[in-house]
Amino acid sequence: MNDAKLRLCYLGQTVRLLFPGPGTPQPYTLLPHALLPRRLAPRRWWHRLLGARVMVPVEGSISAYLSEVFATPVEIVLHVRPAGRANRKPILEAHTDAGLIAFVKIGDTPRARELITNEAAALKRLAELPLKTVVPPAVLHHGHWRGLSVLALSPLPVSTRARTPATLLTRAVQEIAETGGPEHAWHGDLSPWNLCPSPDGRLLVWDWERYETGVPYGFDAVHHLFQRALRRMDPPTAARACLAQAVGVLAPLGLSAACARQTALRYLIALADRHAADGFEPLGPPSTWLNPLVDSQELLT
């Protein structure tokens, strides 16, 4: 089955999940999108040029639930994530007449519910701290609908996507680490696609599902380095590049060369452990990309 069919199959599951119950159907359209595989959006007159109607019930739907939460009529746009993701879940845009008011994550599996709960707790913790560099979204609602977790987050004011300056990223990594107090914290997925510089010189950061305390200082910086490398290299090459470049990347954080290399190795091992816990190996078996690197370092010590 090809990737397009996988996405459409997942969309079919999601439509049944988010639009249950009887009632007068409302027309939606399956739209292409520049950044995400598909969107299911309320149908407009010009959609007839793009695709056929998808009729879904309204009564008892997630849009009705969110209308009650926000005390105003809400229309939703459903973002469809690729099937091959350990943390896949329906992501909604909640719109009112005034425009976009929230991004809404739906926890439709035990793992997704766990991640949503962790993100809600992390964001509530961050909201109590005087952050100067990092701008996370605010939790607008965290509840349950038809046995599913629902987390509504404020939209961040992203205007145009730009590459994050190294100095800004370093300040963000330092500030996030400090949110853990004596135990350093990390965002957990500080990838290029989860952040954006703001005009006021701060860093907009979303997707805090993997936030965690009690980790080595610098994990976020190494993660960002590794994810950028994976865009250009296969996993074994990216892992070697991550270790080789960690000294320069972590030097602004005050880590020595030896400590930087150890931090990079510990990060790569932690990432492999995460994939094992998720039951999903997007980089392939660790024996192909991690073990040779660890073994080579053990030979040097």
Side-chain angles (χ1 to χ4, degrees):
M1 183 178 293
N2 62 34
D3 190 47
K5 289 182 179 178
L6 283 173
R7 289 169 180 165
L8 290 174
C9 284
Y10 182 51
L11 172 65
Q13 297 166 6
T14 303
V15 169
R16 290 194 295 274
L17 182 70
L18 299 176
F19 301 96
T24 304
Q26 178 178 344
Y28 275 68
T29 307
L30 181 64
L31 296 176
H33 191 277
L35 300 178
L36 295 171
R38 295 289 188 273
R39 292 184 302 161
L40 191 69
R43 192 167 180 84
R44 304 292 184 246
W45 66 268
W46 49 269
H47 286 179
R48 64 176 181 266
L49 302 174
L50 301 175
R53 284 195 261 188
V54 178
M55 302 300 292
V56 297
V58 175
E59 182 181 337
S61 68
I62 186 63
S63 57
Y65 171 79
L66 292 174
S67 296
E68 293 182 5
V69 167
F70 292 110
T72 187
V74 169
E75 283 190 334
I76 65 168
V77 174
L78 171 63
H79 289 229
V80 185
R81 299 286 184 167
R85 291 170 59 99
N87 62 338
R88 70 174 188 174
K89 66 183 72 63
I91 306 292
L92 315 179
E93 292 178 11
H95 293 262
T96 68
D97 290 340
L100 176 66
I101 61 168
F103 285 101
V104 184
K105 297 185 176 185
I106 307 296
D108 58 343
T109 66
R111 184 56 176 150
R113 287 192 288 271
E114 180 182 349
L115 290 171
I116 282 177
T117 298
N118 188 65
E119 181 167 23
L123 291 175
K124 290 175 181 177
R125 174 176 183 162
L126 295 175
E128 298 175 351
L129 300 175
L131 301 178
K132 297 180 179 179
T133 300
V134 175
V135 182
V139 175
L140 303 179
H141 173 73
H142 184 210
H144 296 85
W145 168 78
R146 294 181 175 266
L148 306 175
S149 298
V150 179
L151 179 62
L153 305 174
S154 63
L156 294 178
V158 177
S159 52
T160 57
R161 299 299 297 271
R163 183 168 176 174
T164 303
T167 54
L168 178 58
L169 182 66
T170 296
R171 295 205 312 270
V173 170
Q174 291 172 323
E175 186 168 74
I176 293 171
E178 291 169 358
T179 66
E183 299 182 336
H184 293 126
W186 73 316
H187 172 277
D189 192 11
L190 203 65
S191 306
W193 50 87
N194 283 337
L195 46 84
C196 179
S198 64
D200 64 3
R202 296 184 295 172
L203 190 64
L204 310 175
V205 183
W206 50 92
D207 278 354
W208 293 79
E209 297 176 349
R210 304 281 189 171
Y211 177 87
E212 184 183 5
T213 60
V215 299
Y217 185 46
F219 259 27
D220 272 329
V222 180
H223 181 81
H224 190 271
L225 169 65
F226 187 49
Q227 296 306 312
R228 285 183 56 200
L230 286 170
R231 287 181 160 182
R232 313 184 304 275
M233 311 169 187
D234 59 51
T237 307
R240 291 194 298 271
C242 180
L243 180 61
Q245 297 176 33
V247 173
V249 167
L250 295 177
L253 297 176
L255 274 66
S256 67
C259 186
R261 285 191 288 269
Q262 184 183 52
T263 299
L265 285 174
R266 293 181 67 181
Y267 158 76
L268 292 170
I269 293 170
L271 187 64
D273 288 342
R274 173 191 294 182
H275 293 165
D278 287 341
F280 180 61
E281 295 181 335
L283 306 181
S287 59
T288 64
W289 62 271
L290 176 62
N291 294 5
L293 186 66
V294 173
D295 291 344
S296 67
Q297 295 303 302
E298 289 181 346
L299 291 174
L300 297 176
T301 58

